[in-house]
Coordinates of all heavy atoms in Angstrom, one line a residue:
M1 N 3.0 18.8 -18.1 CA 4.4 18.2 -18.0 C 4.9 18.2 -16.6 O 4.7 19.2 -15.9 CB 5.3 18.9 -19.0 CG 6.7 18.3 -19.1 SD 7.6 19.1 -20.4 CE 8.9 18.1 -20.5
A2 N 5.5 17.1 -16.2 CA 5.9 17.0 -14.8 C 7.1 17.9 -14.6 O 8.0 18.1 -15.4 CB 6.3 15.6 -14.5
K3 N 7.2 18.5 -13.4 CA 8.3 19.3 -13.0 C 9.5 18.5 -12.7 O 9.5 17.5 -12.1 CB 8.0 20.2 -11.8 CG 9.0 21.1 -11.4 CD 8.6 21.9 -10.2 CE 9.7 22.8 -9.7 NZ 9.4 23.7 -8.6
E4 N 10.7 18.9 -13.2 CA 11.9 18.2 -13.0 C 12.6 18.8 -11.7 O 12.6 20.0 -11.5 CB 12.9 18.4 -14.2 CG 12.4 17.7 -15.4 CD 12.4 16.2 -15.3 OE1 13.2 15.6 -14.7 OE2 11.4 15.6 -15.9
Y5 N 13.1 17.9 -10.9 CA 13.7 18.4 -9.6 C 15.2 18.1 -9.7 O 15.6 17.1 -10.4 CB 13.2 17.6 -8.4 CG 11.7 17.9 -8.1 CD1 10.7 17.1 -8.6 CD2 11.4 19.1 -7.4 CE1 9.4 17.4 -8.3 CE2 10.1 19.4 -7.1 CZ 9.1 18.6 -7.6 OH 7.8 18.9 -7.3
T6 N 16.0 18.9 -9.1 CA 17.4 18.7 -9.1 C 17.7 17.6 -8.1 O 16.9 17.2 -7.3 CB 18.2 20.0 -8.6 OG1 17.8 20.3 -7.2 CG2 17.8 21.2 -9.5
A7 N 18.9 17.1 -8.2 CA 19.4 16.0 -7.3 C 19.3 16.5 -5.8 O 18.9 15.8 -4.9 CB 20.8 15.6 -7.6
E8 N 19.6 17.8 -5.6 CA 19.6 18.3 -4.2 C 18.1 18.4 -3.7 O 17.9 18.1 -2.6 CB 20.2 19.7 -4.2 CG 21.7 19.7 -4.4 CD 22.1 19.7 -5.9 OE1 21.2 20.0 -6.8 OE2 23.2 19.4 -6.2
Q9 N 17.2 18.8 -4.6 CA 15.8 18.8 -4.2 C 15.3 17.5 -3.9 O 14.5 17.3 -3.0 CB 15.0 19.5 -5.3 CG 15.2 21.0 -5.4 CD 14.6 21.6 -6.7 OE1 14.5 21.0 -7.7 NE2 14.0 22.8 -6.5
R10 N 15.6 16.5 -4.7 CA 15.2 15.1 -4.5 C 15.7 14.6 -3.2 O 15.0 13.9 -2.4 CB 15.6 14.2 -5.7 CG 14.7 14.4 -6.9 CD 14.9 13.3 -7.9 NE 16.3 13.2 -8.4 CZ 16.8 13.9 -9.4 NH1 16.1 14.8 -10.1 NH2 18.1 13.8 -9.8
A11 N 17.0 14.8 -2.9 CA 17.6 14.4 -1.7 C 16.9 15.1 -0.5 O 16.7 14.4 0.6 CB 19.1 14.7 -1.7
A12 N 16.7 16.3 -0.6 CA 16.0 17.1 0.5 C 14.6 16.5 0.8 O 14.2 16.4 1.9 CB 16.0 18.6 0.2
R13 N 13.9 16.2 -0.3 CA 12.6 15.7 -0.2 C 12.6 14.3 0.5 O 11.8 14.0 1.4 CB 11.9 15.6 -1.6 CG 10.5 15.2 -1.6 CD 10.0 15.1 -3.0 NE 8.6 14.8 -3.0 CZ 7.6 15.6 -3.4 NH1 7.9 16.8 -3.9 NH2 6.4 15.2 -3.4
Q14 N 13.5 13.4 0.1 CA 13.7 12.1 0.7 C 14.0 12.2 2.1 O 13.5 11.4 3.0 CB 14.7 11.3 -0.1 CG 14.3 10.9 -1.5 CD 15.4 10.2 -2.2 OE1 16.6 10.3 -1.9 NE2 15.1 9.5 -3.3
K15 N 14.9 13.1 2.5 CA 15.2 13.3 3.9 C 14.0 13.8 4.7 O 13.8 13.3 5.8 CB 16.3 14.4 4.0 CG 16.8 14.6 5.4 CD 17.9 15.6 5.5 CE 18.2 15.8 7.0 NZ 19.2 16.9 7.2
A16 N 13.2 14.7 4.2 CA 12.0 15.2 4.8 C 11.0 14.0 5.0 O 10.4 13.9 6.1 CB 11.4 16.3 4.1
V17 N 10.9 13.2 4.1 CA 9.9 12.1 4.2 C 10.4 11.1 5.2 O 9.6 10.6 6.1 CB 9.8 11.3 2.8 CG1 9.1 10.0 3.0 CG2 9.0 12.2 1.8
R18 N 11.7 10.8 5.3 CA 12.3 9.9 6.3 C 12.1 10.4 7.7 O 11.7 9.7 8.6 CB 13.7 9.6 6.0 CG 13.9 8.5 5.0 CD 15.4 8.1 4.9 NE 15.9 8.4 3.5 CZ 16.7 9.4 3.2 NH1 17.2 10.2 4.1 NH2 17.0 9.6 1.9
E19 N 12.3 11.7 7.9 CA 12.1 12.4 9.2 C 10.6 12.3 9.6 O 10.3 12.0 10.7 CB 12.5 13.8 9.1 CG 14.0 14.0 9.1 CD 14.8 13.4 10.2 OE1 14.3 13.5 11.4 OE2 15.8 12.7 10.0
Y20 N 9.7 12.5 8.6 CA 8.3 12.5 8.9 C 7.9 11.0 9.4 O 7.2 10.8 10.3 CB 7.5 12.8 7.7 CG 6.0 12.7 7.8 CD1 5.2 13.6 8.4 CD2 5.3 11.5 7.4 CE1 3.8 13.5 8.6 CE2 4.0 11.3 7.5 CZ 3.2 12.3 8.1 OH 1.9 12.2 8.3
E21 N 8.4 10.1 8.6 CA 8.1 8.7 9.0 C 8.7 8.3 10.3 O 8.1 7.4 11.0 CB 8.6 7.7 7.9 CG 7.9 7.9 6.6 CD 8.5 7.1 5.4 OE1 9.6 6.7 5.5 OE2 7.7 6.9 4.4
K22 N 9.8 8.8 10.8 CA 10.3 8.6 12.1 C 9.4 9.1 13.2 O 9.3 8.5 14.3 CB 11.7 9.2 12.3 CG 12.8 8.5 11.5 CD 14.1 9.2 11.7 CE 15.2 8.7 10.9 NZ 16.5 9.5 11.1
R23 N 8.7 10.2 12.9 CA 7.8 10.8 14.0 C 6.4 10.2 13.9 O 5.6 10.6 14.8 CB 7.7 12.3 13.7 CG 9.1 13.0 14.0 CD 8.9 14.5 13.9 NE 8.1 15.0 12.7 CZ 8.6 15.3 11.6 NH1 9.8 15.2 11.3 NH2 7.8 15.7 10.6
N24 N 6.1 9.4 13.0 CA 4.7 8.9 12.8 C 4.7 7.4 12.6 O 5.6 6.8 12.2 CB 4.0 9.6 11.6 CG 3.8 11.1 11.9 OD1 2.9 11.5 12.6 ND2 4.7 11.9 11.3
Y25 N 3.5 6.8 12.9 CA 3.4 5.4 12.8 C 2.3 5.2 11.7 O 1.2 5.7 11.8 CB 2.9 4.8 14.1 CG 2.5 3.4 14.1 CD1 3.5 2.4 13.9 CD2 1.2 3.0 14.2 CE1 3.2 1.1 13.9 CE2 0.8 1.6 14.2 CZ 1.8 0.7 14.0 OH 1.5 -0.6 14.0
R26 N 2.7 4.4 10.7 CA 1.8 4.1 9.6 C 1.1 2.7 9.9 O 1.8 1.8 10.2 CB 2.5 4.1 8.3 CG 1.6 3.8 7.1 CD 2.3 3.7 5.8 NE 2.6 4.9 5.1 CZ 1.7 5.6 4.5 NH1 0.4 5.4 4.6 NH2 2.0 6.7 3.8
L27 N -0.2 2.6 9.7 CA -0.9 1.4 10.0 C -1.8 1.2 8.8 O -2.6 2.0 8.3 CB -1.8 1.6 11.2 CG -2.6 0.4 11.7 CD1 -1.7 -0.7 12.1 CD2 -3.4 0.8 12.9
N28 N -1.7 0.0 8.2 CA -2.5 -0.4 7.1 C -3.7 -1.3 7.6 O -3.4 -2.3 8.1 CB -1.7 -1.1 6.0 CG -2.4 -1.5 4.8 OD1 -3.5 -0.9 4.5 ND2 -1.8 -2.3 4.0
I29 N -4.9 -0.8 7.4 CA -6.1 -1.5 7.9 C -7.0 -1.8 6.7 O -7.3 -0.9 5.9 CB -6.8 -0.7 9.0 CG1 -5.9 -0.3 10.1 CG2 -8.0 -1.4 9.5 CD1 -6.5 0.7 11.1
V30 N -7.6 -3.0 6.8 CA -8.6 -3.3 5.8 C -10.0 -3.3 6.4 O -10.2 -4.0 7.5 CB -8.3 -4.7 5.1 CG1 -9.4 -5.1 4.1 CG2 -7.0 -4.7 4.5
F31 N -10.9 -2.5 5.9 CA -12.3 -2.4 6.4 C -13.3 -3.1 5.5 O -13.0 -3.3 4.3 CB -12.7 -1.0 6.6 CG -12.0 -0.3 7.7 CD1 -10.9 0.5 7.4 CD2 -12.5 -0.4 9.0 CE1 -10.2 1.2 8.5 CE2 -11.8 0.3 10.0 CZ -10.7 1.0 9.8
P32 N -14.4 -3.5 5.9 CA -15.4 -4.1 5.0 C -15.9 -3.1 4.0 O -15.8 -1.9 4.2 CB -16.6 -4.4 6.0 CG -16.0 -4.4 7.4 CD -14.9 -3.5 7.3
D33 N -16.3 -3.6 2.8 CA -16.7 -2.8 1.7 C -17.9 -1.9 2.2 O -18.7 -2.3 2.9 CB -17.2 -3.7 0.6 CG -17.5 -3.0 -0.7 OD1 -16.7 -2.0 -1.0 OD2 -18.4 -3.4 -1.4
G34 N -17.8 -0.7 1.8 CA -18.9 0.3 2.1 C -18.5 1.2 3.3 O -19.2 2.2 3.5
T35 N -17.4 0.8 4.0 CA -17.1 1.6 5.2 C -16.7 3.1 4.8 O -17.1 4.0 5.5 CB -15.9 1.0 5.9 OG1 -16.3 -0.4 6.3 CG2 -15.5 1.7 7.2
K36 N -15.9 3.2 3.8 CA -15.5 4.6 3.3 C -16.8 5.4 3.0 O -16.8 6.6 3.4 CB -14.6 4.5 2.1 CG -14.2 5.8 1.5 CD -13.4 5.6 0.2 CE -13.1 7.0 -0.3 NZ -12.4 6.9 -1.6
E37 N -17.7 4.8 2.3 CA -18.9 5.6 2.0 C -19.7 5.9 3.2 O -20.3 7.0 3.3 CB -19.8 4.7 1.0 CG -19.2 4.6 -0.4 CD -18.0 3.5 -0.4 OE1 -17.9 2.7 0.5 OE2 -17.3 3.6 -1.4
R38 N -19.8 5.0 4.2 CA -20.5 5.3 5.4 C -19.9 6.5 6.1 O -20.6 7.4 6.6 CB -20.5 4.1 6.3 CG -21.3 3.0 5.8 CD -21.2 1.8 6.7 NE -21.7 2.1 8.1 CZ -21.5 1.3 9.1 NH1 -20.8 0.1 9.0 NH2 -22.0 1.6 10.3
I39 N -18.5 6.5 6.2 CA -17.8 7.6 6.8 C -18.1 8.9 6.1 O -18.4 10.0 6.7 CB -16.3 7.3 7.0 CG1 -16.1 6.2 7.9 CG2 -15.6 8.6 7.5 CD1 -14.7 5.6 7.9
E40 N -17.9 8.9 4.8 CA -18.1 10.1 3.9 C -19.5 10.6 4.0 O -19.8 11.8 4.0 CB -17.8 9.8 2.5 CG -16.3 9.6 2.3 CD -16.0 9.1 0.8 OE1 -16.8 8.6 0.1 OE2 -14.8 9.3 0.5
S41 N -20.5 9.7 4.2 CA -21.9 10.2 4.3 C -22.2 10.9 5.6 O -23.3 11.6 5.6 CB -22.9 9.0 4.2 OG -22.8 8.2 5.4
L42 N -21.3 10.9 6.5 CA -21.6 11.6 7.8 C -21.4 13.1 7.6 O -21.8 13.9 8.4 CB -20.6 11.1 8.9 CG -20.8 9.6 9.3 CD1 -19.7 9.2 10.2 CD2 -22.2 9.4 9.9
G43 N -20.7 13.5 6.5 CA -20.5 14.9 6.2 C -19.6 15.6 7.3 O -20.0 16.7 7.7
L44 N -18.6 15.0 7.7 CA -17.8 15.6 8.8 C -16.7 16.6 8.4 O -16.0 17.1 9.2 CB -17.1 14.4 9.6 CG -18.0 13.4 10.2 CD1 -17.2 12.2 10.7 CD2 -18.9 14.0 11.3
N45 N -16.6 16.9 7.1 CA -15.6 17.8 6.6 C -14.2 17.4 7.0 O -13.4 18.3 7.3 CB -15.9 19.2 7.0 CG -17.2 19.8 6.4 OD1 -17.5 19.5 5.2 ND2 -17.9 20.5 7.1
K46 N -13.9 16.1 6.9 CA -12.5 15.6 7.1 C -12.4 14.4 6.3 O -13.3 13.8 5.9 CB -12.2 15.4 8.6 CG -13.1 14.3 9.3 CD -12.6 13.9 10.7 CE -12.8 15.0 11.7 NZ -12.5 14.6 13.1
T47 N -11.1 14.1 6.0 CA -10.8 12.9 5.2 C -11.2 11.7 6.0 O -11.3 11.7 7.2 CB -9.4 12.9 4.8 OG1 -8.5 12.7 5.9 CG2 -8.9 14.1 4.0
V48 N -11.3 10.6 5.3 CA -11.5 9.3 5.9 C -10.4 8.9 6.8 O -10.6 8.5 8.0 CB -11.8 8.2 4.9 CG1 -11.9 6.8 5.5 CG2 -13.1 8.5 4.1
S49 N -9.2 9.2 6.4 CA -8.0 8.9 7.2 C -8.0 9.8 8.5 O -7.7 9.3 9.6 CB -6.7 9.2 6.4 OG -6.5 8.3 5.4
A50 N -8.4 11.0 8.4 CA -8.4 11.9 9.5 C -9.5 11.4 10.5 O -9.3 11.4 11.7 CB -8.7 13.3 9.1
F51 N -10.7 11.0 10.0 CA -11.7 10.4 10.8 C -11.2 9.2 11.6 O -11.4 9.1 12.8 CB -12.9 10.1 10.0 CG -14.0 9.3 10.8 CD1 -14.8 10.0 11.7 CD2 -14.1 7.9 10.6 CE1 -15.8 9.3 12.4 CE2 -15.0 7.2 11.3 CZ -15.9 7.9 12.2
V52 N -10.6 8.3 10.9 CA -10.1 7.1 11.6 C -9.1 7.4 12.6 O -9.1 6.9 13.7 CB -9.6 6.1 10.5 CG1 -8.9 4.9 11.2 CG2 -10.7 5.6 9.6
R53 N -8.1 8.3 12.2 CA -7.1 8.7 13.2 C -7.7 9.3 14.4 O -7.4 8.9 15.6 CB -6.1 9.7 12.5 CG -5.0 10.2 13.4 CD -4.4 11.4 12.9 NE -5.4 12.5 12.8 CZ -5.5 13.3 11.8 NH1 -4.7 13.3 10.8 NH2 -6.4 14.3 11.8
D54 N -8.6 10.3 14.2 CA -9.2 11.0 15.4 C -10.0 10.1 16.2 O -10.0 10.2 17.5 CB -10.0 12.1 14.9 CG -9.2 13.2 14.2 OD1 -8.0 13.2 14.3 OD2 -9.9 14.1 13.5
T55 N -10.7 9.2 15.6 CA -11.6 8.2 16.4 C -10.7 7.3 17.2 O -11.0 7.0 18.4 CB -12.5 7.4 15.4 OG1 -13.3 8.3 14.6 CG2 -13.4 6.4 16.1
V56 N -9.6 6.7 16.6 CA -8.8 5.8 17.4 C -8.1 6.6 18.5 O -8.0 6.1 19.7 CB -7.7 5.2 16.4 CG1 -6.6 4.5 17.2 CG2 -8.4 4.2 15.5
L57 N -7.6 7.8 18.3 CA -6.9 8.5 19.3 C -7.9 8.9 20.5 O -7.6 8.8 21.6 CB -6.3 9.8 18.8 CG -5.1 9.5 17.9 CD1 -4.6 10.8 17.3 CD2 -3.9 8.8 18.6
S58 N -9.1 9.2 20.1 CA -10.1 9.6 21.1 C -10.5 8.3 22.0 O -10.5 8.4 23.2 CB -11.4 10.1 20.4 OG -12.4 10.3 21.3
K59 N -10.6 7.2 21.3 CA -10.9 6.0 22.1 C -9.8 5.6 22.9 O -9.9 5.1 24.1 CB -11.3 4.9 21.1 CG -11.8 3.6 21.8 CD -13.1 3.9 22.5 CE -13.7 2.6 23.1 NZ -15.0 2.8 23.8
L60 N -8.6 5.7 22.4 CA -7.4 5.4 23.2 C -7.3 6.3 24.4 O -7.0 5.8 25.5 CB -6.1 5.6 22.3 CG -4.8 5.2 22.9 CD1 -4.8 3.7 23.3 CD2 -3.7 5.4 21.9
D61 N -7.5 7.6 24.3 CA -7.5 8.5 25.4 C -8.5 8.0 26.5 O -8.3 8.0 27.7 CB -7.8 9.9 25.0 CG -6.7 10.6 24.3 OD1 -5.5 10.1 24.3 OD2 -7.0 11.6 23.6
E62 N -9.7 7.7 26.0 CA -10.8 7.2 26.9 C -10.4 5.9 27.6 O -10.6 5.9 28.9 CB -12.1 6.9 26.0 CG -13.2 6.4 26.8 CD -14.4 6.0 25.8 OE1 -14.6 6.7 24.8 OE2 -15.0 5.0 26.1
L63 N -9.8 5.0 26.9 CA -9.5 3.7 27.6 C -8.3 3.9 28.6 O -8.3 3.3 29.6 CB -9.1 2.7 26.5 CG -10.2 2.1 25.7 CD1 -9.7 1.3 24.5 CD2 -11.2 1.4 26.5
E64 N -7.4 4.8 28.2 CA -6.2 5.0 29.1 C -6.7 5.6 30.5 O -6.2 5.3 31.5 CB -5.2 5.9 28.5 CG -4.4 5.2 27.4 CD -3.4 6.1 26.7 OE1 -3.6 7.4 26.6 OE2 -2.4 5.6 26.2
K65 N -7.7 6.5 30.4 CA -8.3 7.1 31.6 C -9.0 6.1 32.5 O -8.9 6.1 33.7 CB -9.3 8.2 31.3 CG -8.6 9.5 30.7 CD -9.7 10.5 30.4 CE -9.0 11.7 29.7 NZ -10.0 12.7 29.3
I66 N -9.7 5.1 31.8 CA -10.4 4.1 32.6 C -9.4 3.1 33.2 O -9.6 2.7 34.3 CB -11.4 3.4 31.6 CG1 -12.5 4.3 31.2 CG2 -11.9 2.1 32.3 CD1 -13.3 3.8 30.0
L67 N -8.4 2.7 32.4 CA -7.5 1.6 32.8 C -6.4 2.0 33.7 O -5.6 1.2 34.2 CB -7.0 0.9 31.6 CG -8.2 0.2 30.8 CD1 -7.6 -0.4 29.5 CD2 -8.9 -0.8 31.6
K68 N -6.2 3.3 33.9 CA -5.0 3.8 34.7 C -5.5 4.1 36.1 O -6.5 4.3 36.5 CB -4.4 5.0 34.1 CG -3.6 4.6 32.9 CD -2.8 5.7 32.4 CE -1.9 5.2 31.2 NZ -1.1 6.3 30.7

């Protein structure tokens, strides 16, 4: 059975989510079929989202060093 939250708890949760969203950028990307499986098959012990995030940030750091 689902846990019931008080109005105060729901409000606090919504506020926390809004604050999190202000500090982060959400990006929706579509990859070719099979990409998730390819990433998972690498056995990196991280989620697919974490892999994509880390890869993009690493490449961004690399490009900024080259282009500055």
Side-chain angles (χ1 to χ4, degrees):
M1 184 169 189
K3 181 178 179 180
E4 294 295 323
Y5 293 98
T6 66
E8 293 83 15
Q9 288 172 321
R10 285 192 300 273
R13 186 180 183 115
Q14 288 173 344
K15 181 180 178 188
V17 168
R18 278 189 241 106
E19 290 298 319
Y20 175 83
E21 289 173 344
K22 286 180 186 176
R23 294 187 312 272
N24 294 281
Y25 174 68
R26 182 186 272 292
L27 182 63
N28 185 13
I29 304 173
V30 177
F31 289 97
D33 191 34
T35 303
K36 177 182 177 185
E37 292 76 15
R38 289 176 63 194
I39 294 169
E40 290 173 341
S41 72
L42 297 173
L44 300 173
N45 292 324
K46 60 173 70 175
T47 64
V48 173
S49 292
F51 170 77
V52 171
R53 179 199 60 223
D54 294 348
T55 303
V56 169
L57 291 175
S58 175
K59 188 65 176 181
L60 184 58
D61 289 343
E62 178 186 325
L63 289 171
E64 286 176 335
K65 287 178 185 176
I66 293 170
L67 299 174
K68 287 187 178 182

